[in-house]
């Protein structure tokens, strides 16, 4: 149980384009989802917390207009990197939780490369 | 603000031996949760073990156990009978239980190498 999927696993895009990453909880309803960014050999950096049906809460320093998060259902959250630039290249990981007080279960991550 | 510190960037252990990874944290809360996650080369984060602060008994999961010292704010992970598949980055994480602190705070990680 507690499986979270992410799609795509890898994406390469041109600078200036937008990229959407999907995060799905496959066997539970996720009232809360989290989006992280991980640079090579570093820890996970929380970007935002999203609750189903409401606006995401962004961490300080994260541009909400650049990283659009939608949590329209209890099993799906999406992260859209708008007008991507090479500095947005990174590993993006989502996690899902049955409730805000519960354990987080992580997706396998998405590697984004912006050329 | 809460902080999590992993002071060992890298550790090595011989196969079948035991290794302990350290984690300390700082918080003013009395109730919280602590986790150890494993991140193998695939980069999939895998929950290893979880500890509720209100429980005095140390959590165990097969070959993995923790030494939770609440007063010292210490939460170390012991891996017994180490296997090659244990090689990974290990992250310690803290999660509070009051409103506004539900997000995880991760340590910087410890890379564990298992020597055959």
């Amino acid at each position: 149980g507690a499986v979270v999927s992410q799609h795509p696993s890898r994406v390469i895009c041109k600078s200036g384009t937008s990229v959407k990453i999907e995060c799905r909880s496959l066997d539970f309803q996720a009232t809360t989802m989290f989006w992280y960014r991980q640079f090579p050999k570093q820890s996970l950096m929380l970007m935002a917390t999203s609750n189903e049906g409401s606006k995401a809460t962004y961490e300080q320093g994260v541009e909400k207009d650049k990283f659009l998060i939608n949590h329209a259902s209890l099993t799906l959250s999406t992260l859209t990197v708008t007008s991507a630039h090479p500095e947005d290249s990174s590993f993006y990981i989502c996690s899902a939780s049955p409730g805000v007080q519960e354990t987080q279960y992580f997706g396998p991550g998405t590697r984004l490369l912006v050329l | 603000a809460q902080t999590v510190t992993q002071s060992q960037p890298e550790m090595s252990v011989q196969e079948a031996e035991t290794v302990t990874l350290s984690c300390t944290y700082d918080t003013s809360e009395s109730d919280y949760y602590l986790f150890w996650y494993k991140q193998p080369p695939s980069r999939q984060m895998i929950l290893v073990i979880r500890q509720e602060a209100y429980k005095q008994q140390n959590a165990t999961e097969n070959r993995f156990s923790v030494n939770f010292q609440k007063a010292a704010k210490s939460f170390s992970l012991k891996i017994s009978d180490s296997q090659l598949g244990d090689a990974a980055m290990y992250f310690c994480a803290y999660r509070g239980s009051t409103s506004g602190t539900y997000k995880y705070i991760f340590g910087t990680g410890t890379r564990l190498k298992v020597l055959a």
Side-chain angles (χ1 to χ4, degrees), chain B residues 23-27 32 34 67-75:
Chain B
C23 173
T24 59
Y25 58 93
D26 191 25
T27 183
Y32 47 87
L34 296 164
N67 183 4
F68 173 48
Q69 301 290 328
K70 190 173 184 179
K73 296 179 181 175
S74 171
F75 182 61

Side-chain angles (χ1 to χ4, degrees), chain A:
Chain A
V3 179
V4 177
S5 70
Q6 261 182 263
H7 179 79
S9 58
R10 299 182 64 163
V11 58
I12 301 173
C13 70
K14 293 182 179 180
S15 185
T17 61
S18 294
V19 174
K20 180 183 285 187
I21 302 170
E22 292 186 349
C23 177
R24 293 181 184 272
S25 56
L26 299 184
D27 52 4
F28 66 97
Q29 292 187 327
T31 56
T32 306
M33 287 185 168
F34 303 84
W35 286 95
Y36 296 86
R37 185 173 179 175
Q38 187 179 31
F39 292 102
K41 299 185 178 181
Q42 292 190 23
S43 188
L44 280 70
M45 181 189 78
L46 179 65
M47 299 174 66
T49 303
S50 73
N51 292 298
E52 187 265 338
S54 61
K55 289 185 178 180
T57 301
Y58 290 82
E59 294 299 301
Q60 192 172 8
V62 177
E63 299 175 60
K64 62 180 180 181
D65 294 330
K66 180 166 190 60
F67 299 99
L68 301 178
I69 292 171
N70 183 278
H71 191 166
S73 78
L74 287 172
T75 59
L76 173 64
S77 176
T78 59
L79 167 68
T80 301
V81 183
T82 62
S83 186
H85 288 94
E87 57 265 31
D88 299 324
S89 298
S90 191
F91 192 68
Y92 293 87
I93 306 175
C94 74
S95 71
S97 175
V100 69
Q101 298 192 47
E102 299 293 329
T103 298
Q104 292 181 32
Y105 299 95
F106 288 82
T110 297
R111 187 179 304 278
L112 170 63
L113 177 61
V114 184
L115 302 177

Side-chain angles (χ1 to χ4, degrees), chain B residues 10-100:
Chain B
E10 189 170 295
M11 292 283 284
S12 295
V13 62
Q14 205 70 35
E15 196 176 6
E17 297 294 310
T18 296
V19 64
T20 298
L21 309 184
S22 67
C23 173
T24 59
Y25 58 93
D26 191 25
T27 183
S28 58
E29 295 182 292
S30 58
D31 194 18
Y32 47 87
Y33 299 82
L34 296 164
F35 305 84
W36 279 99
Y37 280 89
K38 167 185 177 181
Q39 188 179 42
S42 68
R43 303 189 78 172
Q44 167 78 61
M45 294 284 284
I46 301 167
L47 176 65
V48 175
I49 202 163
R50 158 186 162 136
Q51 174 81 45
E52 292 90 345
Y54 62 85
K55 290 186 177 179
Q56 292 186 340
Q57 187 173 7
N58 289 325
T60 63
E61 284 290 342
N62 300 313
R63 298 183 294 108
F64 299 88
S65 62
V66 298
N67 183 4
F68 173 48
Q69 301 290 328
K70 190 173 184 179
K73 296 179 181 175
S74 171
F75 182 61
S76 60
L77 174 70
K78 186 172 83 171
I79 306 174
S80 304
D81 186 25
S82 297
Q83 300 175 0
L84 294 177
D86 295 333
M89 281 290 289
Y90 286 82
F91 292 99
C92 177
Y94 168 100
R95 198 206 81 209
S97 60
T98 56
S99 179

